[in-house]
Coordinates of all heavy atoms in Angstrom, one line a residue:
A88 N 1.1 -16.3 -10.0 CA 0.2 -15.4 -9.1 C -0.2 -14.1 -9.8 O -1.2 -13.6 -9.5 CB 1.0 -15.1 -7.8
L89 N 0.6 -13.7 -10.7 CA 0.3 -12.4 -11.4 C -0.1 -12.7 -12.9 O 0.1 -11.9 -13.8 CB 1.6 -11.5 -11.5 CG 2.1 -11.1 -10.1 CD1 3.4 -10.4 -10.3 CD2 1.1 -10.2 -9.4
D90 N -0.8 -13.8 -13.1 CA -1.2 -14.2 -14.4 C -2.1 -13.3 -15.1 O -2.2 -13.2 -16.3 CB -1.8 -15.6 -14.3 CG -1.9 -16.3 -15.7 OD1 -1.0 -16.2 -16.4 OD2 -3.0 -16.8 -16.0
E91 N -2.8 -12.5 -14.3 CA -3.8 -11.6 -14.9 C -3.2 -10.2 -15.3 O -3.9 -9.3 -15.5 CB -5.0 -11.3 -13.9 CG -5.8 -12.6 -13.6 CD -6.4 -13.3 -14.9 OE1 -6.8 -12.5 -15.7 OE2 -6.4 -14.5 -15.0
V92 N -1.9 -10.1 -15.2 CA -1.2 -8.8 -15.5 C -0.4 -9.0 -16.8 O 0.8 -9.2 -16.7 CB -0.3 -8.4 -14.3 CG1 0.2 -7.0 -14.6 CG2 -1.1 -8.4 -13.0
P93 N -1.0 -8.9 -18.0 CA -0.2 -9.1 -19.2 C 0.5 -7.8 -19.6 O 0.0 -6.9 -20.3 CB -1.3 -9.4 -20.2 CG -2.5 -8.7 -19.7 CD -2.4 -8.6 -18.2
D94 N 1.8 -7.7 -19.1 CA 2.5 -6.4 -19.3 C 4.0 -6.7 -19.6 O 4.6 -7.4 -18.8 CB 2.3 -5.5 -18.1 CG 2.5 -4.1 -18.5 OD1 3.7 -3.7 -18.9 OD2 1.6 -3.3 -18.4
E95 N 4.5 -6.1 -20.6 CA 5.9 -6.3 -20.9 C 6.8 -5.7 -19.9 O 8.0 -6.1 -19.7 CB 6.2 -5.8 -22.3 CG 6.4 -4.3 -22.4 CD 5.1 -3.5 -22.4 OE1 4.0 -4.1 -22.5 OE2 5.2 -2.2 -22.3
A96 N 6.3 -4.6 -19.2 CA 7.1 -4.0 -18.2 C 7.3 -4.8 -16.9 O 8.2 -4.5 -16.1 CB 6.5 -2.6 -17.9
L97 N 6.5 -5.8 -16.8 CA 6.5 -6.6 -15.6 C 7.7 -7.5 -15.5 O 8.3 -7.8 -14.4 CB 5.2 -7.5 -15.4 CG 5.1 -8.3 -14.2 CD1 5.0 -7.5 -13.0 CD2 3.8 -9.2 -14.4
E98 N 8.2 -8.1 -16.6 CA 9.1 -9.1 -16.7 C 10.5 -8.8 -16.0 O 11.0 -9.4 -15.1 CB 9.4 -9.6 -18.1 CG 8.2 -10.4 -18.7 CD 8.0 -11.7 -18.0 OE1 9.0 -12.4 -17.6 OE2 6.8 -12.0 -17.8
S99 N 11.1 -7.7 -16.5 CA 12.4 -7.3 -15.9 C 12.3 -6.9 -14.5 O 13.2 -7.2 -13.7 CB 13.0 -6.2 -16.8 OG 12.1 -5.1 -16.8
A100 N 11.2 -6.2 -14.1 CA 11.1 -5.8 -12.7 C 10.9 -7.0 -11.8 O 11.4 -7.1 -10.6 CB 10.0 -4.8 -12.5
L101 N 10.1 -8.0 -12.3 CA 9.8 -9.2 -11.5 C 11.1 -10.0 -11.1 O 11.2 -10.5 -10.0 CB 8.8 -10.1 -12.2 CG 8.3 -11.3 -11.5 CD1 7.7 -10.9 -10.2 CD2 7.4 -12.1 -12.3
Q102 N 12.1 -10.0 -12.0 CA 13.3 -10.7 -11.7 C 14.1 -10.1 -10.6 O 15.0 -10.8 -10.0 CB 14.1 -10.8 -13.0 CG 13.5 -11.6 -14.1 CD 14.3 -11.6 -15.4 OE1 15.4 -11.0 -15.4 NE2 13.8 -12.1 -16.5
R103 N 13.9 -8.8 -10.3 CA 14.6 -8.1 -9.3 C 13.8 -8.0 -8.0 O 14.3 -7.5 -7.0 CB 14.9 -6.7 -9.8 CG 15.7 -6.6 -11.1 CD 15.6 -5.2 -11.7 NE 16.5 -5.1 -12.8 CZ 17.6 -4.4 -12.8 NH1 18.0 -3.8 -11.7 NH2 18.4 -4.3 -13.9
A104 N 12.5 -8.4 -8.0 CA 11.6 -8.1 -6.9 C 11.9 -9.1 -5.7 O 12.2 -10.3 -5.9 CB 10.2 -8.2 -7.3
D105 N 11.7 -8.6 -4.5 CA 11.7 -9.4 -3.3 C 10.2 -9.6 -2.8 O 9.9 -10.6 -2.3 CB 12.5 -8.8 -2.2 CG 14.0 -8.8 -2.5 OD1 14.5 -9.7 -3.2 OD2 14.7 -7.8 -2.1
V106 N 9.4 -8.6 -3.0 CA 8.0 -8.6 -2.6 C 7.2 -7.9 -3.7 O 7.6 -7.0 -4.3 CB 7.8 -7.9 -1.2 CG1 6.3 -7.9 -0.9 CG2 8.5 -8.5 -0.1

Side-chain angles (χ1 to χ4, degrees):
L89 299 173
D90 192 45
E91 298 301 321
V92 187
D94 201 297
E95 78 284 351
L97 181 65
E98 288 296 320
S99 55
L101 184 57
Q102 294 176 7
R103 302 162 175 255
D105 293 326
V106 178

